Amino acid sequence: MLKEERQQLILNEVELHNRVLLTDLSEKLDVSVDTVRRDVKELDAGSKLRKVHGGAISLGYTHTSTRSSNIYALNEKMAIAEKAIGLLREGDVIFIDGGTTCLEMARMIPPKLRLSCFTFSLPVALQLAGMPNVDLIFIGGRISRESMISNGMYTIQRLAEMRFDYAFIGTGYVDALHGLTEFDWDVVQLKKAVINASKKTILLCISEKLNSQHRFKTCDIHAINSMITELSPENKLLNPFRNQDLRLL
């Protein structure tokens, strides 16, 4: 494989999952970790991604309330966000996760819709702060410099005191058999706390993430009430999820 091809595959993985480990890239590409590290360093120097300890994150994942030109699959994420907005009703108490798809949802909230919105994502909070009919509650804690979200035990303890009508969450990986998974143990603990605090949990997920898994499990697929993709609910790619206790949108 040529270096250019290898680096494009690295970019695709980073953009799809937002954050990836060098060891995972090494295994997927069947090259050494040192080779991947050099590629990631070059891509970082070329402003294609951001190199972090042990891995890389997409530039679109690090932005604030200003839309980045580096958001992967933006049209698909906007389609998902539009479907999610259709579930909202006046007076709902909701939670919006971090990540680019959830940020697109926050941008699309109708200005006249009155909501109470909880989030631990700084970019989402900055977007919601400009909406006069949204009662914004930011859930604090230690801020991750990579994802710009609060995390740690303080955040999890605050979530245990809350109850949302809907939680709109993202995931790194989703599979009909293995459920929602991540490579980051701390992220898993946060998402578990959000799901426990929610009457209904809505997964926002582009179809490229379907049928993928990683090492740490967030929940079984039936713990999610609805899954929204950019696809039509009748699309055959969703067939593995059709026999689950799950609403497809």
Side-chain angles (χ1 to χ4, degrees):
M1 184 184 299
L2 297 174
K3 183 174 76 170
E4 291 77 11
E5 295 174 316
R6 191 174 63 242
Q7 291 189 355
Q8 186 57 55
L9 287 171
I10 290 172
L11 277 176
N12 290 346
E13 283 296 299
V14 172
E15 289 171 342
L16 176 60
H17 298 294
N18 292 323
R19 297 185 293 170
V20 294
L21 298 173
L22 296 181
T23 51
D24 288 337
L25 291 171
S26 170
E27 181 178 350
K28 186 175 186 66
L29 298 173
D30 195 23
V31 295
S32 70
V33 172
D34 286 339
T35 297
V36 171
R37 185 179 290 108
R38 286 193 296 269
D39 284 338
V40 166
K41 188 174 181 179
E42 286 186 20
L43 291 167
D44 179 272
S47 299
K48 299 292 183 65
L49 50 71
R50 181 180 163 198
K51 183 181 181 298
V52 295
H53 180 70
I57 59 176
S58 70
L59 296 181
Y61 196 53
T62 64
H63 66 295
T64 55
S65 60
T66 302
R67 178 180 283 143
S68 167
S69 60
N70 296 290
I71 296 178
Y72 181 69
L74 178 58
N75 290 336
E76 288 84 350
K77 291 175 180 179
M78 290 176 67
I80 292 168
E82 189 172 359
K83 291 183 185 181
I85 291 298
L87 297 175
L88 299 179
R89 298 293 180 265
E90 186 83 8
D92 278 345
V93 177
I94 68 171
F95 172 88
I96 301 181
D97 199 357
T100 50
T101 307
C102 288
L103 183 55
E104 290 306 313
M105 178 188 172
R107 287 196 173 101
M108 289 188 183
I109 291 176
K112 293 183 179 180
L113 186 62
R114 294 188 178 276
L115 299 168
S116 294
C117 291
F118 290 75
T119 188
F120 49 47
S121 164
L122 283 176
V124 169
L126 288 170
Q127 180 64 41
L128 296 175
M131 298 181 177
N133 289 314
V134 171
D135 184 16
L136 170 64
I137 302 95
F138 182 74
I139 307 169
R142 186 181 70 241
I143 300 294
S144 166
R145 297 183 186 276
E146 296 179 5
S147 59
M148 301 301 287
I149 65 171
S150 303
N151 59 26
M153 283 308 301
Y154 180 87
T155 310
I156 291 171
Q157 288 168 358
R158 300 289 76 75
L159 284 165
E161 301 167 353
M162 299 171 184
R163 190 66 171 163
F164 315 120
D165 295 319
Y166 294 101
F168 296 88
I169 69 170
T171 187
Y173 306 81
V174 60
D175 181 81
L177 180 61
H178 297 95
L180 277 61
T181 53
E182 306 281 352
F183 78 77
D184 189 320
W185 176 254
D186 291 334
V187 169
V188 165
Q189 305 317 305
L190 276 178
K191 291 190 187 293
K192 283 183 176 180
V194 169
I195 293 168
N196 288 336
S198 306
K199 295 179 184 177
K200 293 185 177 181
T201 303
I202 316 299
L203 175 63
L204 311 184
C205 179
I206 63 173
S207 60
E208 283 187 68
K209 291 185 179 181
L210 300 178
N211 308 313
S212 65
Q213 60 177 295
H214 217 286
R215 59 175 61 89
F216 297 129
K217 186 170 184 174
T218 301
C219 65
D220 290 323
I221 195 66
H222 59 71
I224 303 301
N225 299 94
S226 302
M227 181 171 72
I228 304 179
T229 72
E230 79 280 8
L231 304 174
S232 164
E234 291 76 32
N235 193 293
K236 64 181 181 180
L237 292 177
L238 296 172
N239 284 347
F241 299 88
R242 222 171 287 286
N243 293 328
Q244 307 292 332
D245 185 17
L246 178 70
R247 183 184 180 191
L248 300 173
L249 296 172

